[in-house]
Amino acid sequence: SQQGEEDPQALSIQEGENATMNCSYKTSINNLQWYRQNSGRGLVHLILIRSNEREKHSGRLRVTLDTSKKSSSLLITASRAADTASYFCATEGNSGYSTLTFGKGTMLLVSP
Amino acid sequence: NAGVTQTPKFQVLKTGQSMTLQCAQDMNHEYMSWYRQDPGMGLRLIHYSVGAGITDQGEVPNGYNVSRSTTEDFPLRLLSAAPSQTSVYFCASSPQGGSYGYTFGSGTRLTVV
């Protein structure tokens, strides 16, 4: 079963605008990660935020985590056409072996 | 470093045929996983390994076998292909499971007819 659910399923913006994607999950986690997938390619790891962190930055990316609401958001600032891709959140649970559970993704289209 | 290498990139099988999807990594990662990606379903975990000789089932293991005899290689075997196994398969590796980011291969697109 899917652990994370991204919202919205699709997002269309203009270059230069900010893009915000949300992820909700169901069970306790050790960390939450965001990945990008360009069409027909493998996933690329973007950023990891641990359960005891509330916010993390990496370049134009800003991730927040609210463990009380079991939710996270990914903000991409000053979007570029090259940011067009699908974005997935993935959670690492805190029981048993360490594996990732992925959501269904948000498809982002950035138009020039 | 080549990272995670998957072969083949594309494959067409007939129902009932068997085949092995290959995955190799050159980063000395202990953790390796196989996922399948279907439209609208995200990625679902098939099998994973936490080190040579240790494997376990994920969310959708039926119809697939794995083994891990070396740190570098983690092949996925389809025992008797079915149309429901038509999917894109991704192999991924990590130094220490989900506590670190995973490195993904470029995928194998499998069609079972």
Side-chain angles (χ1 to χ4, degrees), chain A residues 12-54:
Chain A
S12 183
I13 60 174
Q14 300 289 118
E15 263 191 333
E17 295 180 339
N18 294 342
T20 299
M21 288 159 269
N22 303 297
C23 171
S24 60
Y25 57 92
K26 299 173 183 174
T27 61
S28 297
I29 62 172
N30 282 337
N31 65 69
L32 184 144
Q33 305 177 26
W34 286 90
Y35 287 80
R36 183 187 73 233
Q37 183 181 36
N38 292 92
S39 180
R41 310 291 291 273
L43 279 74
V44 175
H45 179 255
L46 295 176
I47 194 166
L48 179 153
I49 185 166
R50 303 191 189 283
S51 60
N52 61 353
E53 298 175 311
R54 292 297 167 258

Side-chain angles (χ1 to χ4, degrees), chain B residues 7-28:
Chain B
T7 56
K9 293 191 183 304
F10 301 94
Q11 182 71 47
V12 179
L13 286 180
K14 294 183 178 179
T15 298
Q17 286 184 320
S18 63
M19 78 160 295
T20 299
L21 307 185
Q22 301 292 344
C23 176
Q25 52 93 7
D26 61 357
M27 299 171 286
N28 203 32

